[in-house]
Amino acid sequence: MVSIKDIAKKAGVSISTVSYALNGSPKVTEKTSKKILAIAKELNYVPNAAARTLKNRASKIIGAFMPDYGGPFFGDLLRGMRKTLNQQGYDLIACTGKESHRFLPEGIIDGAVILDWNFPDEEILRYADLGSKMVVMDRKLHHPNIEHVLLDNQTGTELAINYLIEKKHQNLILLTGPDGNFDSQQRLQAAVSILQKHPSIHYTIYSGNFDQSFGKKIVKDIIKDSPIPTAIFSFNDTMAIGLYQGFRNSSFKIGQDIHIIGFDNTEVSQYLQPPLTTINYSKEEWGSVAADNLVQLLNGKETSPQTIPVCLLERESVKKAGTGL
């Protein structure tokens, strides 16, 4: 089936220009409009009737765009969104992958909550220019149709690093998330800023990907390259769980030789042995606040950027250096 993307490519114009031309908008010159309509006819373009119908009225459906929606982390976020949206008469669908991005310009959904670093900024801004309302949870974008609801990564990182410093650790590892990930970048910048004020502390940065398998795999490099004892700030709990798996097959004990602090307080972190020290926040609240801000945008109400608070949960995976206490 021919799409407006195909027409735009052949005409050498943007998707929004094609959309304006097909809908008779005066925003497109007569010459450009005639060219686009001729190409549409040549390609036997048939408008998506369902999408056109939805575009003319509210679908009462919101899309949550995420790289994945399995596991407790995304499950809690979606639960918070769903509860808030249902209370205000909206349904929620979870979206992943590039093909689902078209739900916005085609009007299949009324708006979107985005926590997906694979969703490019320029594409989000293009949809905003077309009138789509969105709330982003993993970046800052400035547009009247976009609001952001972010974690307090600065405070979370300060709590984690200062806690390790208070415990007298002199050798730290920073285990980051994927390149370009907003939360990971913020945590790394905050951590390095603090550690640069403590020149006696040695630190190493390992570029991770937020996956459990990476945490497990990197243990061999940590044992080979780092002095023991070592304190590790894993930028999420999932990689920390992988660290536990990797060190289980070594002679080093977590909470004695290796000290680990995570970020997210996923449900399983409290059941690890020893339980994982981590940065805690309410994932349901994060999802709920994002959803509520989107509804406000859709209703033409004024919104403002929101920050979700965090706190430190002290558990047994971090002890004072050299004492086990």
Side-chain angles (χ1 to χ4, degrees), residues 2-300:
V2 176
S3 69
I4 61 172
K5 187 185 295 185
D6 299 316
I7 300 171
K9 184 177 180 180
K10 185 159 187 177
V13 298
S14 67
I15 292 174
S16 59
T17 300
V18 173
S19 179
Y20 288 138
L22 293 175
N23 287 285
S25 171
K27 293 182 179 181
V28 183
T29 65
E30 184 178 353
K31 180 180 178 181
T32 301
S33 182
K34 284 183 177 179
K35 177 183 176 181
I36 290 171
L37 292 173
I39 291 173
K41 184 176 180 180
E42 176 190 341
L43 296 177
N44 295 316
Y45 170 71
V46 179
N48 186 325
R52 287 175 64 90
T53 299
L54 287 170
K55 198 159 189 174
N56 292 327
R57 62 178 177 82
S59 68
K60 306 300 287 185
I61 299 172
I62 299 300
F65 289 83
M66 300 181 175
D68 189 8
Y69 42 85
F73 177 83
F74 291 109
D76 288 346
L77 280 172
L78 290 169
R79 190 176 302 109
M81 291 180 203
R82 180 183 57 79
K83 286 180 180 178
T84 296
L85 291 171
N86 287 171
Q87 289 169 1
Q88 302 191 58
Y90 289 87
D91 285 327
L92 178 70
I93 58 172
C95 308
T96 184
K98 292 182 179 180
E99 283 302 313
S100 62
H101 295 185
R102 64 184 175 84
F103 293 171
L104 275 162
E106 290 185 3
I108 294 173
I109 55 178
D110 289 348
V113 178
I114 301 172
L115 179 61
D116 185 354
W117 50 87
N118 298 312
F119 205 136
D121 287 356
E122 56 271 21
E123 188 176 0
I124 294 173
L125 289 167
R126 185 167 73 246
Y127 295 151
D129 285 340
L130 290 170
S132 295
K133 311 289 186 181
M134 291 164 282
V135 169
V136 292
M137 305 172 73
D138 58 355
R139 69 198 82 193
K140 288 182 179 178
L141 295 175
H142 301 286
H143 192 286
N145 290 327
I146 300 173
E147 190 54 270
H148 56 264
V149 178
L150 307 174
L151 287 178
D152 191 348
N153 289 302
Q154 177 77 29
T155 298
T157 300
E158 289 175 356
L159 290 170
I161 297 298
N162 287 332
Y163 184 67
L164 295 177
I165 292 174
E166 289 169 10
K167 294 293 185 180
K168 307 299 182 183
H169 290 284
Q170 294 294 304
N171 183 54
L172 272 57
I173 287 175
L174 307 176
L175 206 57
T176 77
D179 290 341
N181 177 269
F182 178 82
D183 290 321
S184 179
Q185 288 178 333
Q186 283 206 319
R187 292 167 198 174
L188 180 60
Q189 289 170 3
V192 170
S193 178
I194 296 169
L195 291 170
Q196 285 177 341
K197 299 173 184 176
H198 297 270
S200 64
I201 297 177
H202 175 267
Y203 68 92
T204 306
I205 300 169
Y206 288 90
S207 297
N209 59 7
F210 281 163
D211 288 342
Q212 186 172 321
S213 59
F214 176 83
K216 182 178 181 180
K217 182 178 68 174
I218 203 67
V219 166
K220 289 182 180 178
D221 291 334
I222 292 172
I223 292 173
K224 180 180 68 174
D225 300 336
S226 301
I228 303 297
T230 292
I232 304 172
F233 176 28
S234 174
F235 284 15
N236 77 342
D237 280 6
T238 302
M239 289 190 298
I241 293 168
L243 292 172
Y244 271 68
Q245 293 174 327
F247 281 111
R248 189 182 300 146
N249 299 320
S250 77
S251 60
F252 300 108
K253 302 299 181 184
I254 295 173
Q256 297 178 27
D257 311 301
I258 303 294
H259 304 262
I260 302 175
I261 183 168
F263 203 117
D264 289 334
N265 188 31
T266 53
E267 185 177 3
V268 70
S269 66
Q270 63 186 307
Y271 301 115
L272 296 171
Q273 291 300 323
L276 177 67
T277 299
T278 186
I279 301 301
N280 180 44
Y281 58 91
S282 171
K283 287 163 280 298
E284 280 203 29
E285 179 190 4
W286 193 16
S288 176
V289 172
D292 186 65
N293 270 258
L294 180 57
V295 173
Q296 301 308 312
L297 276 178
L298 291 169
N299 290 332

